[in-house]
Amino acid sequence: MRAVVIVPVLKAERRGGRGGAGEAAPQPPVRSSESRLEEAKGLAQAIDLDVVLGLVVSVAQPRPATLLGTGKIEEIKAALDEHDAGLVIVDHPLTPVQQRNLEKEWNAKVIDRTGLILEIFGRRASTKEGTLQVELAHLNYQKGRLVRSWTHLERQRGGAGFMGGPGETQIEADRRLLQERIVRLERELEQVVRTRQLHRAKRRKVPHPIVALVGYTNAGKSTLFNRITGAGVLAEDMLFATLDPTLRRMKLPHGRTVILSDTVGFISDLPTHLVAAFRATLEEVLEADIVLHVRDMSDPDNGAQAADVLRILSDLGIDEKDRENRMIEVWNKIDRLEPEAAEALTHRAETQPNAVALSAVSGQGVDALLDDIAHRLSGVMTETTIVLPADKLSILPWLYNSAIVDGREDLEDGSVSLDVRLSEQQALELDRRLGNGPKPEREGWER
């Protein structure tokens, strides 16, 4: 489908937000209108739309009925006729009334930024959980738009998406049926949440630390995930190339086993429906021992993108103090920078305690990141020597999987002496397996 992308720039946005008198709070970085246009085009192309024209439109005073002024509406209508485009993507939230009025003025389908992101997520969802989450977000978004605005059923939007063909045989504006479907989906997702909680509980019984990847969409998370784990997760230069979260077990340089989690990419103005629907998925980030914030340092707007990611993390419950304790900033794509700029960025990262510069494509700097992760996880570990009696050797596989074993000696009486590094939680679990109770000085331990 041929599409025209429009990026409205409001007067307040051009000024960088509302300025207050006195000691105003520092404003987050403002994204350029050109960057917004490129991102909107990328979103459209991610679902195979043919973007024939992209426009940045200044809006001095938003119109309640159409958002844009009469003159701009006429200009865009002429452009639609000239390029024979049947779809308009407005990179801004539209009210149901604005959307309906613009469709009448332009005689074309109109979707806003939220609708476009939902459409992409609908295409990308592959697991049952992802499909449920996207459908729930779709329905909550449609709930306010399924008014009886059309007189003919053939002009209703399709139930599965926003650019589909004719509507269902029954009017989708029937709010009772819609609400019943939402309730059913919420119940199914509650079961998904319980299943995830059970999985987390099982992982805690064999307590491997969790390392979660977060970041703006197309920052290179999946590429880094594949580089570290050797997995085959889809990784393309495309917005929202992957949607469903992926977990893999991997070993750090010193032998410690961790679970690496690749999460859905974030984006500015992420629809609240999606944040709510994907909360069960994003809770993997809340449970993580270390969070890797992957940033595309080749993007001029990476500062604004980072601010958007931190804002969403804050909404999820990860505050600034929490980020300082367990977040590492991964400055990715240094291979796209000029050699001098890449070297300067690498030196800058070395002077900061929570940053690593690397290229997930070439592998440069990845070893330094893994060493940093291992150092952080081992920083809370205790070195000790354990003597396992012959009747407790069944614990050996658990020790090798959960702890770091630095040395081993097989003794003449059949027991085994191990030099290990354990976290406090692992030490308690070992006591339980040895049947020693809370005191480690009992039989089976040597300090």
Side-chain angles (χ1 to χ4, degrees), residues 165-240:
E168 298 176 6
T169 55
Q170 302 220 354
I171 292 181
E172 290 183 348
D174 189 330
R175 296 180 183 276
R176 181 180 60 81
L177 293 177
L178 187 66
Q179 188 59 39
E180 287 177 358
R181 178 61 181 158
I182 289 174
V183 170
R184 285 198 299 271
L185 286 173
E186 287 176 341
R187 287 174 182 166
E188 290 186 59
L189 278 174
E190 285 176 6
Q191 181 60 45
V192 170
V193 172
R194 287 194 290 270
T195 302
R196 279 193 172 275
Q197 290 172 344
L198 288 174
H199 290 168
R200 291 192 192 107
K202 288 181 180 179
R203 289 202 296 267
R204 280 193 287 268
K205 289 181 180 178
V206 184
H208 297 309
I210 297 176
V211 179
L213 292 165
V214 301
Y216 207 79
T217 181
N218 209 31
K221 298 183 303 301
S222 296
T223 304
L224 180 61
F225 185 87
N226 290 340
R227 166 67 63 176
I228 295 176
T229 65
V233 175
L234 175 65
E236 296 184 9
D237 187 11
M238 179 173 60
L239 299 177
F240 294 117

Side-chain angles (χ1 to χ4, degrees), residues 14-69:
R14 291 199 301 272
R15 292 176 178 174
R18 295 181 180 177
E23 296 183 359
Q27 294 290 335
V30 178
R31 306 176 71 231
S32 66
S33 54
E34 292 77 12
S35 174
R36 287 181 53 192
L37 178 59
E38 287 304 311
E39 180 178 277
K41 287 181 179 179
L43 288 170
Q45 291 164 354
I47 50 174
D48 303 321
L49 293 177
D50 180 15
V51 179
V52 295
L53 181 65
L55 298 171
V56 176
V57 179
S58 297
V59 181
Q61 186 65 39
R63 302 286 182 90
T66 56
L67 180 66
L68 308 178

